[in-house]
Amino acid sequence: MADSQPFAESKSPAAVPTNVVTYKGRRMPARIDPDASVGRVVEIMTNAFQAPEHHITLALRDEEDNLVTQATLPAKVASKEILKLVPSPVSEALAVVASLQSAMHGHLSTDSPQRGQDGTDVIPPKLALFNLQKFIKEEDFAIEFMLKGGPKMLVRLIERDEGGLSGNSLAYALQGIRGIMEFEHGWSDFTDDFIDRIILVLASPSAPNILRPATIILRKLVIASPSAQQTEGGGSTYTRKGKARDVEEGINSYGFERVYSRVRVVGNKVPDEQGGTGPEKVFRCIVKRLEGTRDLELVAQSLAFINTCLRVAQQENSKRYTELVGILETLGTRKYVTRLMPNCANNIVEARILDFQSRYATILRQRALRPVRPTHNVYHDRLLSEIWVAGKLEPYDPRDGSVRKSAQTVQSHEVGGMRSWAGWAKAGLMPEQPVDLLNLVEAELFRPIGELGLECFHYFAMHEEMFYSVVLEQQARLPERRCPLGRASNDCVRILYEHYKVSQATHRGASHFQPFLLNFNRLHYLVLKFFIRMWQESESRLEDFDRVSYLVRSQIHLSLTDEMSKTWLDLERDFLDSDYRSIRDRQMQLADKEDGMLERSAIRELKEKVNKEAYDVVSEQRVACMIQGSWFNSANILLPGVHTSVRATSAKPLRFVRLHPNKRTIAWGEFAKRTDAPPSFESLRERIDVANITDIRLSTGCAINSRSPNLVSKLSFSLMASDNLSLLDLDAVHAAQMAEWTDGLRIVKGEGGMAHPESAGFVHVLTELSLKVRLLDITGDGIEIPSKVSFGTAPTSTDFWFAN
């Protein structure tokens, strides 16, 4: 410190104060050395104010109550902020613990000071809980609070049914629990009674400031699974010597099974006029919160809780997973999520919607892999029976020997007979190749796409007016001209399955909204109607099945390219009302021109090779741009719950960022204006280890000098060290720059994939151009590409020569 005395008492007339420090209403200018120890500054100011407290119990904070640390002191001095001399985090934690101890034996409703167990005055419980939720993110506060048994007392207060916490006090307490869960210690205090209390809060019409932390708490408990040792997001961790084992056991002793078992118990106590099971009552309250968009954070947390339950239940191989999926389907969760899409682009709900899409795609994948077993599964038997009744598929007399009189022939009580292979043949569900009907089982009818194919065909049969007439119309045609409805349905499911890349759902997240995917059965209904229409109007035969399938695939790709720009009405127009001649002229010409060439294995292998080459070219370009360096606007964080390591200042609104050639370190610096020459790597003082970057979060803030300071910029992004800590916040100058750095960082980190549409577009264009250029060398000379190459037998001797 350049001058240890306050400015008012300074002997040097040239000394200029850098800051104003306040203490209990008193103000004093002071000159603070930015390189001085914070503890020394606190000690000097304590003596200057003649404070009765010992300086070790005090600390400095800014006007926003942010703790002044050694890392932030130079910035506070440089910006000449007003600082406050206040109790230290440890002192605040001890005061909160004393108040909670008093509240455990007294009344929580009073806001006046109370007497502690030692007879001293303690702060009111409501004020203590307010301070708890405000300071719990500070590590010194949290450590002292947990060492004194604060979490256990807080849990006991929340568990109280009568005379317990309510209103803002309950909201503050839940925020405190949320902060405790960012650490590894204190989890063992969360009892079943505490979980029950949180569930009751979620199932009640509480205020949003109570529901938000309650939802987050229950979600974190679901994540803390004994089997799935994964966490969403990070935070500070606290372990003490000799207690690491207790910490580990406490934090991973919850999970979906334990939480869901409490939901089943507590849900039965929840009053609900609509009735239902316990879990259905609880999840109905959570799903209903997806209707409104006034409180986007509550919507995002509610949807995040649903996503987490689906993900962890699947990871745990829970027997309740199917039950949970059924409840969410009954409550119409997909309908509410679809309604959120138009108003939730580029905000905190967007990522949750994309995650839900991935969860639903995983559900579709599991249904496709689940075989149809009507003899073991009552649900499958019911769907088959309802299809049979809707199509009036007459039972076949088994006396001719074409039907096996065993478990493969299921009694159909609705039609008073047996489901037979002749009946399924009318619905176009017989296998393509001749088989022995005596050894055929109904499970073979949907083998390629499993339960998903059965559900889609059932949906079509139940929603198609006069499904019986559709079946009858095909029977009136010549056998070779009949459209095999069941086979066509399975093929449409397969095409949609491949279009949405459902098989990659477990390891590939969604990058854009796909509203039609969330109503897969209805989309399949329209596609199957289109298939049947194409079959009839093109007068196709059975040998033309693959060609019609190709036309359907092409139309799906054309209609579903940009889903958010279309409505169901547009989709119905594309598949049901589009002019057949225009479809035929466009798609048939394309099919005839290519003659299926792009579907051949040799061309597919060539395209995969070219795509990898194009990806490598774009990757090298992205990394080269990062090594060259770029100018960005400094950005302020607007995303709730995210804290930045370095706050942007209006005095230096620009940041130059550059990647080291070894691709391990990023250097950056702040500037008031652009320099004539780009700063060198060595001249940039700040460093970020690429290995410390856990995520690249998009749309997190806005430029420091933006004309709309409260509007999130689509070009902003942050380099995250954890779920709530940002290492660097930037606002790109244009979309191309954002694509270069966001995708470039993913490449450097080895994550792969071009997430930004611009980068993905470059790879696609380069792939298509390169493929066409290479194909010109073959097709330009009229060389025929065989579908399959066959090799003759090897020569028996070396007595041969090659013909010219």
Side-chain angles (χ1 to χ4, degrees):
M1 186 173 295
D3 190 352
S4 63
Q5 297 296 325
F7 175 71
E9 301 177 2
S10 175
K11 298 180 180 179
S12 173
V16 178
T18 58
N19 301 81
V20 173
V21 182
T22 65
Y23 172 75
K24 294 183 178 180
R26 298 162 57 190
R27 298 167 61 89
M28 184 177 296
R31 181 176 179 83
I32 301 176
D33 185 351
D35 297 325
S37 168
V38 173
R40 178 60 177 160
V41 174
V42 172
E43 180 182 359
I44 292 176
M45 296 312 304
T46 302
N47 296 331
F49 281 110
Q50 297 181 353
E53 301 94 333
H54 193 278
H55 68 85
I56 201 172
T57 64
L58 298 177
L60 287 176
R61 295 185 183 272
D62 60 16
E63 290 185 301
E64 297 178 358
D65 280 333
N66 296 317
L67 184 68
V68 178
T69 63
Q70 201 64 49
T72 60
L73 179 62
K76 303 294 182 184
V77 174
S79 57
K80 298 183 179 181
E81 295 188 28
I82 298 177
L83 306 178
K84 300 184 295 184
L85 190 63
V86 294
S88 66
V90 173
S91 300
E92 293 282 5
L94 293 174
V96 170
V97 171
S99 179
L100 294 183
Q101 287 176 335
S102 175
M104 292 286 291
H105 304 88
H107 298 286
L108 294 172
S109 58
T110 177
D111 291 335
S112 58
Q114 300 181 5
R115 291 282 180 178
Q117 294 180 348
D118 57 356
T120 59
D121 290 338
V122 296
I123 59 177
K126 187 173 184 179
L127 177 59
L129 292 172
F130 176 79
N131 290 341
L132 170 66
Q133 61 92 28
K134 185 168 63 172
F135 299 130
I136 190 61
K137 295 179 182 179
E138 297 176 2
E139 191 169 356
D140 290 343
F141 179 97
I143 291 176
E144 190 67 24
F145 182 75
M146 289 186 283
L147 286 176
K148 298 300 181 182
K152 188 172 185 178
M153 289 186 285
L154 187 60
V155 167
R156 296 296 177 269
L157 290 176
I158 294 175
E159 289 176 354
R160 285 188 183 180
D161 292 331
E162 297 182 1
L165 299 174
S166 62
N168 287 336
S169 296
L170 178 58
Y172 298 151
L174 294 176
Q175 287 286 7
I177 293 291
R178 176 186 176 183
I180 292 172
M181 297 179 83
E182 295 296 327
F183 297 82
E184 293 183 355
H185 190 75
W187 285 71
S188 58
D189 297 320
F190 303 146
T191 62
D192 285 348
D193 291 338
F194 170 76
I195 298 175
D196 293 351
R197 172 68 166 148
I198 300 299
I199 295 172
L200 283 173
V201 169
L202 286 181
S204 63
S206 304
N209 65 330
I210 297 176
L211 292 174
R212 284 193 294 267
T215 307
I216 295 173
I217 290 170
L218 201 62
R219 172 171 161 254
K220 287 182 176 292
L221 290 174
V222 173
I223 295 172
S225 169
S227 57
Q229 303 274 337
Q230 300 181 16
T231 59
E232 289 186 358
S236 301
T237 56
Y238 164 67
T239 56
R240 286 181 60 83
K241 185 176 180 180
K243 292 191 177 183
R245 180 176 301 176
D246 297 337
V247 170
E248 187 66 24
E249 292 177 355
I251 197 173
N252 292 316
S253 59
Y254 301 94
F256 173 79
E257 281 288 348
R258 181 174 176 182
V259 173
Y260 194 78
S261 65
R262 303 314 307 167
V263 169
R264 293 174 64 88
V265 174
V266 177
N268 293 324
K269 305 176 184 178
V270 176
D272 192 332
E273 297 178 355
Q274 300 183 34
T277 62
E280 188 173 344
K281 293 178 182 179
V282 174
F283 276 95
R284 180 178 289 114
C285 299
I286 297 172
V287 171
K288 279 289 185 181
R289 295 187 183 115
L290 303 180
E291 282 188 296
T293 55
R294 293 184 178 180
D295 193 333
L296 291 179
E297 184 177 356
L298 180 58
V299 172
Q301 295 301 340
S302 300
L303 188 53
F305 175 73
I306 294 172
N307 295 337
T308 300
C309 287
L310 289 171
R311 178 178 59 82
V312 178
Q314 180 196 2
Q315 291 175 347
E316 293 181 356
N317 293 321
S318 172
K319 296 180 180 179
R320 303 295 181 184
Y321 177 69
T322 304
E323 178 184 337
L324 173 63
V325 173
I327 290 174
L328 295 176
E329 290 289 302
T330 302
L331 298 176
T333 309
R334 291 184 286 115
K335 175 184 65 177
Y336 292 117
V337 174
T338 303
R339 291 176 180 174
L340 286 172
M341 289 182 177
N343 302 319
C344 292
N346 300 319
N347 61 31
I348 57 176
V349 186
E350 180 182 18
R352 307 306 182 186
I353 295 176
L354 295 177
D355 189 20
F356 181 82
Q357 283 183 186
S358 299
R359 296 297 108 215
Y360 183 65
T362 301
I363 294 173
L364 294 178
R365 178 175 178 270
Q366 291 183 330
R367 289 176 178 172
L369 296 175
R370 188 178 299 130
V372 175
R373 295 176 177 175
T375 57
H376 299 81
N377 192 313
V378 178
Y379 173 65
H380 294 167
D381 181 60
R382 179 176 63 83
L383 295 186
L384 288 171
S385 297
E386 291 178 356
I387 294 173
W388 185 276
V389 173
K392 297 183 180 180
L393 308 176
E394 297 298 332
Y396 188 69
D397 186 0
R399 289 175 297 180
D400 64 356
S402 62
V403 180
R404 186 176 180 181
K405 302 176 184 179
S406 62
Q408 287 82 1
T409 305
V410 184
Q411 182 73 26
S412 178
H413 300 286
E414 292 83 356
V415 298
M418 291 183 175
R419 294 200 298 260
S420 61
W421 306 131
W424 290 131
K426 291 180 181 180
L429 276 170
M430 293 300 290
E432 302 175 25
Q433 302 297 331
V435 294
D436 183 5
L437 294 180
L438 292 176
N439 297 319
L440 183 65
V441 293
E442 284 183 313
E444 298 292 332
L445 302 180
F446 297 93
R447 177 170 294 277
I449 30 75
E451 183 184 277
L452 179 61
L454 173 59
E455 290 180 338
C456 287
F457 193 51
H458 175 268
Y459 183 92
F460 180 84
M462 296 298 103
H463 290 79
E464 173 63 15
E465 187 177 358
M466 297 300 291
F467 174 63
Y468 165 69
S469 299
V470 178
V471 175
L472 197 61
E473 180 184 0
Q474 298 304 320
Q475 293 301 308
R477 294 171 173 268
L478 295 174
E480 66 272 10
R481 290 195 178 274
R482 294 172 187 170
C483 177
L485 300 178
R487 180 183 171 190
S489 173
N490 291 345
D491 193 67
C492 290
V493 173
R494 180 181 59 83
I495 293 173
L496 290 173
Y497 190 90
E498 294 174 355
H499 174 79
Y500 284 112
K501 296 181 174 60
V502 176
S503 60
Q504 305 176 21
T506 55
H507 57 272
R508 177 182 175 272
S511 59
H512 58 281
F513 290 159
Q514 296 171 324
F516 301 129
L517 171 66
L518 297 185
N519 204 330
F520 192 88
N521 289 351
R522 183 180 177 185
L523 178 60
H524 165 268
Y525 172 84
L526 295 178
V527 174
L528 181 54
K529 292 271 287 184
F530 178 78
F531 190 106
I532 297 172
R533 188 160 67 94
M534 289 294 100
W535 183 281
Q536 294 175 348
E537 297 186 14
S538 62
E539 299 182 356
S540 297
R541 298 172 179 267
L542 288 176
E543 56 266 23
D544 298 324
F545 187 92
D546 291 338
R547 183 176 292 274
V548 177
S549 176
Y550 176 76
L551 296 178
V552 173
R553 184 187 298 273
S554 177
Q555 183 70 4
I556 288 175
H557 178 74
L558 182 67
S559 300
L560 300 181
T561 299
D562 186 9
E563 293 192 27
M564 285 305 296
S565 65
K566 292 188 176 182
T567 63
W568 281 107
L569 185 61
D570 298 325
L571 213 60
E572 290 177 0
R573 189 181 300 112
D574 289 345
F575 287 110
L576 304 181
D577 302 330
S578 54
D579 179 60
Y580 170 68
R581 290 192 175 184
S582 61
I583 296 175
R584 181 187 60 186
D585 292 342
R586 182 184 70 247
Q587 295 180 328
M588 286 296 190
Q589 287 177 7
L590 180 61
D592 291 338
K593 181 179 179 180
E594 296 183 353
D595 194 26
M597 184 177 63
L598 294 180
E599 297 299 323
R600 300 179 185 181
S601 59
I603 303 301
R604 287 200 303 268
E605 292 175 0
L606 176 61
K607 187 173 182 178
E608 292 176 0
K609 179 181 178 182
V610 170
N611 181 264
K612 185 180 184 304
E613 293 175 355
Y615 177 85
D616 292 340
V617 170
V618 176
S619 299
E620 291 176 3
Q621 185 270 337
R622 295 305 189 225
V623 174
C625 289
M626 296 175 64
I627 295 176
Q628 185 178 358
S630 302
W631 288 98
F632 292 90
N633 295 317
S634 299
N636 279 331
I637 286 290
L638 298 180
L639 200 63
V642 177
H643 305 281
T644 181
S645 300
V646 183
R647 182 182 299 178
T649 60
S650 56
K652 295 182 178 180
L654 298 177
R655 287 176 175 174
F656 188 82
V657 189
R658 170 168 273 175
L659 176 69
H660 194 275
N662 64 12
K663 303 177 186 178
R664 297 178 182 176
T665 308
I666 293 176
W668 65 279
E670 294 184 311
F671 300 85
K673 61 180 182 179
R674 293 197 180 197
T675 58
D676 295 334
S680 63
F681 184 93
E682 292 73 16
S683 64
L684 301 172
R685 298 177 59 185
E686 304 293 339
R687 297 286 192 274
I688 297 177
D689 191 349
V690 174
N692 293 334
I693 302 175
T694 60
D695 186 25
I696 303 152
R697 191 167 301 179
L698 308 181
S699 301
T700 56
C702 68
I704 184 67
N705 291 330
S706 173
R707 296 181 180 178
S708 302
N710 297 323
L711 185 63
V712 175
S713 171
K714 296 181 180 180
L715 301 180
S716 61
F717 62 95
S718 298
L719 309 186
M720 307 298 294
S722 65
D723 191 49
N724 57 0
L725 179 62
S726 168
L727 297 174
L728 182 62
D729 310 302
L730 302 171
D731 185 67
V733 179
H734 45 73
Q737 186 186 53
M738 181 181 183
E740 291 170 355
W741 278 83
T742 54
D743 287 332
L745 282 170
R746 291 186 178 92
I747 294 166
V748 171
K749 287 176 59 60
E751 296 178 358
M754 297 294 177
H756 197 280
E758 183 164 334
S759 300
F762 283 151
V763 174
H764 176 72
V765 170
L766 286 175
T767 301
E768 294 298 321
L769 288 176
S770 181
L771 180 63
K772 289 179 180 179
V773 169
R774 298 194 184 190
L775 288 179
L776 282 176
D777 295 337
I778 301 174
T779 59
D781 295 332
I783 299 175
E784 175 65 18
I785 301 177
S787 299
K788 184 178 180 181
V789 179
S790 59
F791 299 93
T793 58
T796 57
S797 68
T798 58
D799 186 17
F800 66 89
W801 65 93
F802 293 101
N804 293 330

